[in-house]
Amino acid sequence: MLFDTLTILGVGLLGGSLGLAAKSRGLVRRVVGVGRDAARLREALAAGQLDESTTDLAAGVRIADLVVVCTPVDLIPQQVRELAEVAKAGCLVTDVGSTKSEIVARLRDPLPNRVTFIGSHPMAGSEKKGSNHATPDLFQGRVTIITPTADTPPRASQAIHEFWERIGCRVVTMTPEEHDRAVALVSHLPHAVAAALAGVVDPALLCVSAGGFRDTTRIASASAAIWEPIFRTNRREVLASCAAFAERFDEFRRLLEAEDGPGLIHWLNEGKRVRDALGS
Amino acid sequence: MLFDTLTILGVGLLGGSLGLAAKSRGLVRRVVGVGRDAARLREALAAGQLDESTTDLAAGVRIADLVVVCTPVDLIPQQVRELAEVAKAGCLVTDVGSTKSEIVARLRDPLPNRVTFIGSHPMAGSEKKGSNHATPDLFQGRVTIITPTADTPPRASQAIHEFWERIGCRVVTMTPEEHDRAVALVSHLPHAVAAALAGVVDPALLCVSAGGFRDTTRIASASAAIWEPIFRTNRREVLASCAAFAERFDEFRRLLEAEDGPGLIHWLNEGKRVRDALGS
């Protein structure tokens, strides 16, 4: 057992799946869920994602040895400050937010009660939302990026590293800035592109679409309320990725406009080489 | 049985799968494959995709009641003219090409031997290539667009319609121009976008990518040699789709640049509405 009590703040797809994974792998003695909606918490409890639940932040947090914050990225810094006020001395806190620079910067000053915060980003998720889609395998084989800073006690980093590893993840350590640059390209940009692609298609044409459209636009079904703060809190890097993409896409348009066959084949093969390296 | 002899010109993923589907559903008495590579034809024969094979176009075509041309789009018009010269009188010819206006226009003048050509486009395929990936279910439940013209004998249209339906497809009739406009948006544009997305990512970052990147870029692995002529023969419509997409994508950049949260949520929800209408 790594921790006695794990408290999950925000029990949706990620929080619920984390509860299931931590319990099924015996990493903690109990999982406590904290949320605003008592009915939803009862569902997560009934689904075995939690052992206890409460809508009272202080009650859920003061018994925790590890708190994982699974709420929208723009809420995380303030919530971590609030929960640190009522936390057990020396409590570890991490999150699952998709951006890291802003969160880590806003939590740089020491927290009350010797609470340590370390940023985490498990690269797991789905276009689906809510703890009713939770599964103990959501994190299995996925990468989790952790972003300790120069001020992070090595023992705390190690504990968080081990936690994600035993949840089933491959753990990669980056600076918050490296993280935000990387995910802008491999996650946030694809999301904006998928939404733009879906947005230009007349729904009447969907009846003739096939697997290509289905795959390229799948993540456009994700929640706008979750994604808007992700884009906002990684604005600079997302805009840089958009600029790189727009330049590359314009190259395609110029080659096609010019009927440059060999140029188009070369351009297509450059993308193919990258995608082939990923595997199917 | 719909036809005695079906000859498939070009036995790759689509041709091989068509042979399997036609045989397993008892639509034809025999399937003859015509290709350039005798070794590959032998493999398709051994895999049960064909009953007979030949590298001699005339030998394979003169016994056919239906010929389906499964070669790259830029070769189709010339090949149809050539095979019509040696075809049985009244033979039906169709294709599986991803563009239609140029092919149909170039085959508007009457063909020899009272051969009738009707354009077809089964919206089936894969980023994989070659008859070794063929499967009898490739067309199952997919849409096939057929593009008869005012000159097409209704009996011929009906026969082709029934053929695809009994192969397992939902058949939609369009003009070649309607077809090219629709697939530019739902197929060709997503392909260019996926290739551009893959093309801006440093392969070193692939280790932190997740399902979103995997899905949005999957079709970037397709063959450049197959896709370059598709883009070229649907150049005008693809460029129009690219312009619509670029405009919509720029809107995202402007909203993010301006930190317009409600505007971003509205923009994301417009794409989500379209994608949700398609289902998962």
Side-chain angles (χ1 to χ4, degrees):
Chain A
M1 194 175 300
L2 284 176
F3 297 96
D4 182 86
T5 299
L6 161 65
T7 290
I8 296 171
L9 179 52
V11 186
L13 173 71
L14 289 168
S17 297
L18 189 63
L20 286 173
K23 279 157 60 73
S24 70
R25 289 161 180 264
L27 305 190
V28 298
R29 186 178 64 82
R30 68 173 163 182
V31 177
V32 178
V34 178
R36 287 170 310 179
D37 185 330
R40 284 201 197 152
L41 286 172
R42 273 195 301 273
E43 281 173 26
L45 209 57
Q49 297 160 11
L50 310 171
D51 297 304
E52 297 170 29
S53 74
T54 174
T55 56
D56 177 351
L57 180 71
V61 162
R62 68 173 160 242
I63 53 177
D65 302 286
L66 171 66
V67 179
V68 182
V69 182
C70 303
T71 55
V73 284
D74 52 337
L75 307 181
I76 293 171
Q78 181 58 29
Q79 287 178 331
V80 171
R81 289 230 157 260
E82 276 169 30
L83 73 86
E85 297 285 350
V86 292
K88 200 189 277 188
C91 175
L92 272 182
V93 181
T94 188
D95 71 328
V96 300
S98 295
T99 62
K100 291 272 88 67
S101 299
E102 188 174 312
I103 291 170
V104 173
R106 288 178 59 192
L107 294 170
R108 183 161 299 157
D109 295 337
L111 294 164
N113 297 314
R114 296 187 289 105
V115 167
T116 299
F117 174 80
I118 295 171
S120 298
H121 179 198
M123 304 289 292
S126 160
E127 70 282 6
K128 300 194 183 98
K129 208 191 144 188
S131 68
N132 51 324
H133 293 109
T135 144
D137 296 330
L138 188 73
F139 302 99
Q140 182 59 46
R142 302 308 185 92
V143 166
T144 289
I145 302 172
I146 63 171
T147 63
T149 68
D151 301 330
T152 309
R155 221 177 33 190
S157 294
Q158 253 166 343
I160 294 295
H161 192 291
E162 190 177 352
F163 174 74
W164 287 116
E165 214 162 59
R166 289 185 53 187
I167 284 289
C169 297
R170 203 152 43 81
V171 179
V172 173
T173 302
M174 291 185 173
T175 67
E177 292 70 30
E178 285 168 344
H179 167 276
D180 280 11
R181 200 170 310 129
V183 298
L185 271 170
V186 302
S187 169
H188 306 169
L189 171 65
H191 201 94
V193 162
L197 260 181
V200 291
V201 169
D202 180 341
L205 292 181
L206 292 176
C207 63
V208 297
S209 70
F213 183 77
R214 193 172 285 275
D215 285 349
T216 47
T217 58
R218 179 166 289 117
I219 51 178
S221 274
S223 159
I226 287 176
W227 275 87
E228 183 274 323
I230 294 175
F231 289 129
R232 182 158 31 87
T233 58
N234 198 21
R235 188 167 154 270
R236 214 187 48 172
E237 293 297 345
V238 173
L239 286 172
S241 297
C242 286
F245 171 81
E247 195 178 312
R248 181 137 188 99
F249 187 68
D250 279 348
E251 211 175 312
F252 171 82
R253 295 170 73 182
R254 278 195 304 274
L255 291 165
L256 183 56
E257 185 75 55
E259 303 185 65
D260 180 351
L264 272 174
I265 285 182
H266 180 76
W267 185 92
L268 288 166
N269 276 329
E270 284 176 329
K272 178 173 164 57
R273 198 173 313 124
V274 176
R275 187 54 182 81
D276 285 352
L278 184 60
S280 57
Chain B
M1 194 175 301
L2 284 176
F3 297 96
D4 182 87
T5 299
L6 161 65
T7 290
I8 296 170
L9 179 51
V11 186
L13 173 71
L14 290 168
S17 297
L18 189 63
L20 286 173
K23 280 158 58 74
S24 70
R25 289 161 180 266
L27 305 191
V28 299
R29 186 178 64 81
R30 68 173 163 182
V31 177
V32 179
V34 177
R36 287 171 309 178
D37 186 329
R40 285 201 197 153
L41 287 172
R42 273 195 301 274
E43 282 173 25
L45 209 57
Q49 297 160 12
L50 311 171
D51 297 303
E52 297 170 28
S53 73
T54 173
T55 56
D56 177 350
L57 179 72
V61 162
R62 69 173 160 241
I63 53 177
D65 302 286
L66 171 66
V67 179
V68 182
V69 181
C70 303
T71 56
V73 284
D74 52 337
L75 307 181
I76 293 171
Q78 181 58 30
Q79 286 178 331
V80 171
R81 291 230 157 260
E82 277 169 29
L83 74 86
E85 297 286 349
V86 293
K88 200 189 276 187
C91 175
L92 272 183
V93 181
T94 189
D95 71 327
V96 300
S98 296
T99 62
K100 291 271 94 58
S101 299
E102 188 175 313
I103 291 170
V104 173
R106 287 178 60 192
L107 294 170
R108 185 161 297 157
D109 295 338
L111 294 164
N113 296 315
R114 296 186 289 104
V115 166
T116 298
F117 173 80
I118 295 172
S120 298
H121 179 199
M123 303 289 292
S126 161
E127 71 282 6
K128 300 194 183 98
K129 208 191 146 189
S131 68
N132 51 324
H133 292 109
T135 143
D137 297 331
L138 188 73
F139 301 98
Q140 182 59 47
R142 301 308 184 91
V143 166
T144 290
I145 302 171
I146 63 170
T147 63
T149 68
D151 302 329
T152 310
R155 218 176 37 189
S157 294
Q158 253 166 342
I160 293 296
H161 192 292
E162 190 176 352
F163 174 74
W164 287 116
E165 215 161 59
R166 289 186 52 187
I167 284 290
C169 297
R170 202 152 45 80
V171 180
V172 173
T173 302
M174 291 184 174
T175 67
E177 292 70 29
E178 285 168 345
H179 167 276
D180 281 10
R181 200 171 310 128
V183 298
L185 271 170
V186 301
S187 169
H188 306 170
L189 171 64
H191 201 94
V193 162
L197 260 181
V200 291
V201 168
D202 179 340
L205 291 181
L206 293 176
C207 63
V208 296
S209 70
F213 183 77
R214 193 173 287 275
D215 284 350
T216 48
T217 57
R218 179 167 289 116
I219 51 178
S221 274
S223 159
I226 287 177
W227 276 87
E228 184 275 323
I230 294 175
F231 290 129
R232 183 157 32 86
T233 57
N234 198 20
R235 188 167 153 271
R236 214 187 47 171
E237 293 298 345
V238 173
L239 285 171
S241 296
C242 287
F245 170 81
E247 195 178 312
R248 181 134 189 101
F249 186 67
D250 279 348
E251 212 175 312
F252 170 82
R253 296 170 74 183
R254 278 195 304 274
L255 291 165
L256 183 56
E257 184 75 54
E259 303 185 64
D260 180 351
L264 272 174
I265 285 183
H266 180 76
W267 185 92
L268 288 167
N269 275 330
E270 285 176 328
K272 177 172 165 58
R273 198 173 313 123
V274 176
R275 187 55 181 81
D276 285 350
L278 184 59
S280 57

